[in-house]
Amino acid sequence: MRPPITRDVPVLLYGCGPMASLFVGAVQSSPTTNMRVVGILDDSGIPRGRYVHDVPVLGAPKDLDRIIAELAVQG
């Protein structure tokens, strides 16, 4: 019997288009992945605070330092 997969690889996505939605859905529905999508960066005008499959849009790429610091505090 295989040990349970732990979702211990945090992933930040760049872009909030249809492919991001497909990727997030695939990661969330796959029992064999160890990835956990923690947020999305987008500079196309999609406002911070929106969600894609329960994954938050955290800001634009220019905000990366702030976003990483906030995620580090959250663990």
Side-chain angles (χ1 to χ4, degrees):
M1 186 164 155
R2 294 176 101 183
I5 300 292
T6 58
R7 296 189 185 260
D8 58 356
V9 178
V11 174
L12 268 176
L13 290 183
Y14 176 73
C16 195
M19 293 304 291
S21 180
L22 286 172
F23 180 80
V24 171
V27 167
Q28 290 178 339
S29 66
S30 174
T32 60
T33 185
N34 64 342
M35 292 182 286
R36 177 175 44 95
V37 183
V38 296
I40 299 171
L41 304 175
D42 192 79
D43 59 0
S44 68
I46 293 178
R48 182 176 166 197
R50 301 252 340 253
Y51 289 82
V52 175
H53 296 288
D54 298 326
V55 175
V57 176
L58 300 173
K62 66 180 177 68
D63 303 320
L64 184 60
D65 290 337
R66 174 192 55 81
I67 291 167
I68 289 175
E70 289 175 2
L71 289 172
V73 169
Q74 297 172 12

